[in-house]
Amino acid sequence: WHDDAAAIANLVEAPEIHVQALAYRILGQPTPHAARAARDNLPVLIGTLLRPLHRRTRTLAFAALENAATDEEAARRIVARAREALDLPDVRYPKERLLGLIGRLLARWPGLRAPAERPVLYGAGA
């Protein structure tokens, strides 16, 4: 599955939630093949942040999105869309896990942090 981006895209866009979950499980695996396949399917995966999904399926999609952040540009796109998703009114949206995804990406790519997200150290001056 990892070598066929079109097949993965078909699984992600399938109408059956169980098929979508299978795709997110494949793309969320901690392997180089899965990361490459997730990156290749980033345009399709990034839509999972704003479309209706079951909570468990969305959590699987978060793992696939984290895997897709193989470079700073991909991470920038994911973080921007994830920040938009924070404003969604859906009470079932796993926003705590979304914040975790954003935090892990910002930790890996510090250049994406907004000024308010940069650490500030207070203490006695030298």
Side-chain angles (χ1 to χ4, degrees), residues 50-65:
L50 298 178
R51 71 180 179 156
L53 284 176
H54 292 104
R55 185 179 180 92
R56 288 183 182 166
T57 307
R58 191 176 306 279
T59 302
L60 293 172
F62 289 167
L65 283 165

Side-chain angles (χ1 to χ4, degrees), residues 102-115:
I102 293 170
R104 287 187 300 277
L105 293 179
L106 293 180
R108 194 172 0 161
W109 306 101
L112 300 178
R113 296 176 185 163

Side-chain angles (χ1 to χ4, degrees), residues 4-90:
D4 192 351
I8 294 285
N10 286 339
L11 291 177
V12 171
E13 295 175 333
E16 177 62 41
I17 195 70
H18 296 85
V19 176
Q20 293 173 14
L22 172 65
Y24 303 141
R25 284 181 199 275
I26 291 169
L27 296 175
Q29 292 176 350
T31 65
H33 288 10
R36 188 181 72 243
R39 177 68 171 95
D40 291 345
N41 285 286
L42 182 60
V44 178
L45 278 177
I46 209 159
T48 62
L49 290 167
L50 298 178
R51 71 180 179 156
L53 284 176
H54 292 104
R55 185 179 180 92
R56 288 183 182 166
T57 307
R58 191 176 306 279
T59 302
L60 293 172
F62 289 167
L65 283 165
E66 186 173 354
N67 229 6
T70 57
D71 59 27
E72 188 168 349
E73 181 54 36
R76 181 182 322 281
R77 291 177 59 198
I78 295 166
V79 168
R81 187 63 59 94
R83 286 180 173 149
E84 290 175 24
L86 284 174
D87 295 332
L88 292 174
D90 185 1

